[in-house]
Amino acid sequence: AEHQHARYNPLRDDWVLVSAHRVKRPWQGQLEKPPPEDVPRWDPNNPLCPGATRANGEVNPQYEGTFVFPNDFPALQPDAPEPGNSDHPLFRAAAARGVCKVMCFHPWSDLTLPLMSLAEIRAVIDAWAELAAELGASYAWVQIFENKGAMMGCSNPHPHCQASLWATLQQQTQGEDVNGNPPALCAFFLSAREDPLERLVVENADWLVVVPYWATWPYQTLLLPRRHICRLQDLRDSERDSLASIMQRLLIKYDNLFEISFPYSMGWHGAPTGPYLKEDCGHWQLHAHYYPPLLRSATVRKFMVGYEMLAQAQRDLTPEQAAERLRSLPEVHYKQRSK
């Protein structure tokens, strides 16, 4: 807790430098602007609002729950041309084809997931699973992710996420090693489930949230099911309800940490789909990552620069310290305490 040391990440086969004493250094660097508190509930100029006109001229329906539509500015398109061949081993290119979807969580722009009801969060989870199943029938990888807050590159103040689908995939096929040990992800899953006390944040009957031993971002967390599950669409009805609950509890703690709408990037990792649906993917374990950038306050973030970009990842407090702070926070949202 007081001296620097390195920790190994078996999922990525790399190391993170833990330098907890650095959080004590005085800060005279950049201060971020806290997110606005006066976001209008409905804005005709907001392209994600019900009834608004998007950049391509399409008008959104008057949706009342979740709403999924093709991304108007996709990173992947299904009909992209081949990049051409190269005989030079250092200048290779390959085709990248897919589709990108946007999913609005709620018709109101002034709501985020921790302020939504459990039923509304459950509807988001169902929509995630439907997207994963529908698009995973054709594509090898379905990446569902959410960027929350302008600090994380979110270009629109409306509760939403994205799903990108790749037609090609570099599969992680790490089977058991020569000693019969389980693959890295399943091994970590088992250890986190059995002994999470120092790094546990919240838990319930079906899920637990821990700060990984090898976490890179200051308040990074890992969301894990208690049983072995390969994909989102494999979740039981009861597990979807309990997932809504534990997500709400975690995100309320995030917001309560600095009493702001806490920025983060999150995403789900599950077994590959498409042609891999018929293969044995038992070495995969469904899980979600949360990567929040804030370190000291609502205005001071962790910057991944210099040493982190050129040498290795480095964090400024131990995962155990981060977990203890998150764990001790109340589970009533700071905006709702007076009520």
Side-chain angles (χ1 to χ4, degrees):
E2 296 295 331
H3 302 284
Q4 71 271 11
H5 61 280
R7 298 192 183 193
Y8 179 63
N9 180 350
L11 305 187
R12 298 179 59 90
D13 190 26
D14 60 12
W15 293 79
V16 56
L17 176 63
V18 182
S19 306
H21 57 283
R22 278 173 52 85
V23 79
K24 300 176 182 178
R25 64 186 175 133
W27 182 261
Q28 294 183 344
Q30 179 173 321
L31 298 179
E32 306 290 340
K33 292 182 179 180
E37 296 282 346
D38 57 348
V39 175
R41 179 157 292 182
W42 184 86
D43 181 355
N45 296 315
N46 185 330
L48 298 186
C49 283
T53 302
R54 303 203 308 274
N56 63 358
E58 293 189 19
V59 178
N60 295 334
Q62 294 292 339
Y63 65 92
E64 297 181 352
T66 59
F67 169 49
V68 179
F69 61 92
N71 195 322
D72 297 328
F73 301 96
L76 291 162
Q77 296 176 326
D79 54 357
E82 293 282 346
N85 296 322
S86 172
D87 295 330
H88 198 294
L90 299 181
F91 301 103
R92 295 186 296 169
R97 299 186 181 98
V99 298
C100 298
K101 301 276 189 177
V102 175
M103 186 177 83
C104 296
F105 296 156
H106 196 280
W108 295 355
S109 294
D110 58 345
L111 277 189
T112 55
L113 280 171
L115 292 169
M116 289 165 54
S117 70
L118 289 177
E120 290 167 338
I121 300 174
R122 167 63 195 265
V124 170
I125 294 168
D126 288 340
W128 281 343
E130 290 172 10
L131 268 179
E134 173 192 346
L135 300 172
S138 303
Y139 289 90
W141 185 258
V142 180
Q143 182 60 66
I144 295 174
F145 64 96
E146 178 195 3
N147 295 324
K148 181 189 175 194
M151 195 182 301
M152 299 309 293
C154 182
S155 60
N156 194 288
H158 192 95
H160 71 286
C161 73
Q162 297 185 56
S164 295
L165 304 309
W166 276 265
T168 58
L169 172 73
Q170 183 177 357
Q171 187 186 19
Q172 293 182 346
T173 53
Q174 294 181 348
E176 292 186 352
D177 66 18
V178 293
N179 298 316
N181 295 319
L185 182 57
C186 288
F188 176 79
F189 158 68
L190 291 171
S191 63
R193 185 180 62 180
E194 293 169 0
D195 186 24
L197 296 180
E198 277 190 305
R199 290 172 293 278
L200 177 70
V201 178
V202 288
E203 63 177 330
N204 62 23
D206 299 312
W207 301 86
L208 56 86
V209 176
V210 297
V211 177
Y213 177 80
W214 35 259
T216 300
W217 293 94
Y219 292 97
Q220 177 180 338
T221 56
L222 180 64
L223 173 58
L224 285 163
R226 289 188 179 274
R227 73 177 179 96
H228 181 234
I229 304 173
C230 286
R231 302 176 178 92
L232 267 172
Q233 54 267 44
D234 299 333
L235 291 175
R236 299 167 181 160
D237 194 67
S238 60
E239 289 168 335
R240 297 184 185 199
D241 286 336
S242 57
L243 175 56
S245 173
I246 203 163
M247 283 175 55
Q248 185 187 61
R249 293 169 62 195
L250 170 65
L251 297 179
I252 285 175
K253 284 180 177 290
Y254 273 154
D255 280 11
N256 284 344
L257 181 60
F258 299 128
E259 295 198 347
I260 60 161
S261 183
F262 205 69
Y264 59 76
S265 285
M266 72 84 65
W268 285 98
H269 284 167
T273 50
Y276 301 96
L277 288 171
K278 297 180 180 179
E279 295 191 7
D280 180 9
C281 292
H283 57 286
W284 284 81
Q285 171 61 39
L286 178 70
H287 61 287
H289 293 282
Y290 285 84
Y291 299 130
L294 291 177
L295 172 60
R296 300 168 179 237
S297 69
T299 60
V300 178
R301 67 176 299 176
K302 168 66 178 180
F303 288 90
M304 293 293 183
V305 295
Y307 184 84
E308 292 89 351
M309 296 176 68
L310 299 167
Q312 68 178 142
Q314 181 267 328
R315 59 179 291 121
D316 296 331
L317 74 166
T318 68
E320 293 76 24
Q321 291 168 335
E324 181 180 11
R325 186 164 185 189
L326 287 172
R327 188 170 54 244
S328 65
L329 290 166
E331 295 186 8
V332 176
H333 199 278
Y334 72 93
K335 289 187 176 181
Q336 298 173 331
R337 287 177 197 163
S338 60
K339 299 178 182 179

